[in-house]
Amino acid sequence: MKEDVDFSYSKLKEMHPQLYWYISKEELDFKFDSLKKTLHKPLTPIQFYFKLQPVIASIREGHLALRIPRKKFTHKEIKALEHKKGIFSRFEYYIKDDHLYIIKNNDSIENIKPGTEILSINDIPVSEYIKKYKKLINSDGLNNTFQPYFLKDVFFNFYTAEYGFNEKATIKTLYNHEKKTYTLKREAKSEEEIKKDKAQEKRTAERKINDYVPLSDSYNRSFKFLDTDKTIAYIKIKSFSQDYSSKFYKETFSKIKTAHSSYLIIDIRNNYGGSLYEINNLYSYLTSESFSLIKPSQVNSTSTPLKTNYFRKSNPFQYIFKSLLYPTYFFAQSFSTYKKDGSVYYKMRADKPTKPNKDAFQGKIFVLINGGSFSASSIITAKLKNDKRVILIGEETGGANDGTVAGFYSYQKLPHSKINLPIGLLLVKPNIQFSNTKRGVIPDIAITESMQDIIENKDPQLDWVINEIEGERKKRNNSLLYPKTYRDIKMLFSKAYNIELI
């Protein structure tokens, strides 16, 4: 285990392009040395993970984390689990401080009401789990908004890694000052449910363009008008997955242009990021000028692109096929870097000038963000804010304002515990004037969403935008009724006679 600790640190120093961005070398040296002093007896891989990952998390790079070691299942065991419902995955959760709440009960299990707090799981207080699991999660930099959003999504990943896929669990709850105990069981799926699962996996044209996710029965991308006269366009993006995204944006912005919409709302709350290509393409629809989305991306050395585990997860057939293509891959990667001012950079399309799209939106843009807006979501948000192109509403993003380390990875397997450590190799920074605050992107209008808002399907952040637009409409209508300036008269005649005055 001590050799694994040393191996981890040596690989981080070799490959990570900005290791000491948020923590000093002296402090990180101390943390790794202190960890080795606590290793006095053998541990299982998962026990070792819970010791090493908090040190990795202290580097405060959101993309940098050990993979959770899990039991390997046989094909038969996987099939058996697929035909059963999860114990905990049928609920949706909310975390506040050291408290875990159920905010949605998808199958009305035991008639547990939204807003119910889970006090303990198998007689262990939930607060103990949260305190333990919080140490495993790191955001980019010094913001504290990311952790509760991400932890609610991965809480039971950590739990099942520790305790396995059990057939039942006992939870103690609190709702309206009344405590109850429930035994949750892993139930078998009905034939109808299995058929529905298979039907959800089919890829229709609509599902491709909107990037359908069978697991959640939802779409990563969606578009609609929020009013009958189509003046307010709304785009929701849950993930920048890139799949069919070009066609989605092409069709969407064509519809917006045809409708002559005045306002556009882009919702990237709870969007953990994804493709640089997609956000570069999206930005081309939001500007009227040529732009470069990011600054040149730095790597540690000219050989860094060749450390991306080309043959990783290849079956025998894939290995043979990739072997034939390897000379081409090697040649391309060898010429993918360049040196400038003593540093090495990786060639990226997103750092080159991009022209605005012919259907680029020219009206007023609002962007909704929160602590779950991470990685690519933060990069495009920081760029839009820097260029004064939008009004940001919500919370500080979970990703850093000034960039992140990701792009592509080198997957390092620790020699003894066999735990995987993916290391981001690219320092990706938005093409902006840096804030140097080590924080996320700060909204122009700060509005938080409470648990009760979520339960009651209220959206105070979106409501603020709608109210703001309605206020602007009233002012505009008043100026048309009582024109005071030449600009007002132009608008009045244009609206009345459908002509444009010079």
Side-chain angles (χ1 to χ4, degrees), residues 258-288:
T258 301
H260 301 289
S261 303
S262 302
Y263 301 97
L264 172 61
I265 302 169
I266 300 176
D267 189 347
I268 53 173
R269 293 172 294 181
N270 305 304
N271 182 328
Y272 292 144
S275 164
L276 268 178
Y277 171 84
E278 181 172 340
I279 62 171
N280 191 69
N281 185 36
L282 172 58
Y283 198 93
S284 73
Y285 287 95
L286 307 177
T287 182
S288 57

Side-chain angles (χ1 to χ4, degrees), residues 270-454:
N270 305 304
N271 182 328
Y272 292 144
S275 164
L276 268 178
Y277 171 84
E278 181 172 340
I279 62 171
N280 191 69
N281 185 36
L282 172 58
Y283 198 93
S284 73
Y285 287 95
L286 307 177
T287 182
S288 57
E289 301 175 355
S290 292
F291 67 95
S292 296
L293 181 69
I294 62 173
K295 292 183 180 292
S297 299
Q298 192 173 336
V299 292
N300 273 4
S301 70
T302 55
S303 63
T304 294
L306 295 170
K307 299 177 180 178
T308 55
N309 311 90
Y310 177 75
F311 292 101
R312 182 173 176 266
K313 289 188 175 180
S314 299
N315 58 39
F317 176 79
Q318 291 170 330
Y319 190 92
I320 294 170
F321 182 72
K322 285 184 176 181
S323 297
L324 297 173
L325 295 178
Y326 186 75
T328 303
Y329 164 81
F330 181 86
F331 181 82
Q333 292 294 69
S334 297
F335 289 91
S336 63
T337 60
Y338 63 95
K339 291 182 180 180
K340 185 178 180 181
D341 301 327
S343 297
V344 182
Y345 298 93
Y346 186 79
K347 296 174 184 176
M348 300 276 283
R349 180 183 298 180
D351 65 29
K352 303 295 186 293
T354 301
K355 293 180 180 179
N357 193 281
K358 63 180 178 62
D359 289 333
F361 182 73
Q362 301 301 321
K364 193 167 186 177
I365 305 172
F366 300 89
V367 177
L368 306 179
I369 55 174
N370 64 9
S373 305
F374 182 71
S375 190
S377 295
S378 298
I379 290 172
I380 190 170
T381 304
K383 177 65 174 168
L384 286 165
K385 182 177 183 179
N386 179 83
D387 294 353
K388 296 180 173 55
R389 195 64 196 93
V390 302
I391 297 174
L392 302 177
I393 300 94
E395 301 173 329
E396 176 184 359
T397 62
N401 183 87
D402 293 354
T404 190
V405 175
F408 49 82
Y409 295 81
S410 178
Y411 290 82
Q412 298 297 315
K413 181 174 284 189
L414 277 55
H416 303 289
S417 62
K418 306 302 179 185
I419 299 175
N420 280 312
L421 173 60
I423 302 174
L425 303 178
L426 282 183
L427 176 59
V428 183
K429 292 187 173 186
N431 186 24
I432 63 171
Q433 185 72 34
F434 296 133
S435 66
N436 297 314
T437 59
K438 300 182 180 180
R439 297 285 299 275
V441 185
I442 306 298
D444 300 302
I445 306 295
I447 301 173
T448 57
E449 183 181 50
S450 69
M451 180 178 72
Q452 202 59 34
D453 289 330
I454 299 171

Side-chain angles (χ1 to χ4, degrees), residues 2 132 156 278 319 357 459:
K2 291 180 180 181
K132 183 177 184 180
F156 287 102
E278 181 172 340
Y319 190 92
N357 193 281
D459 193 336

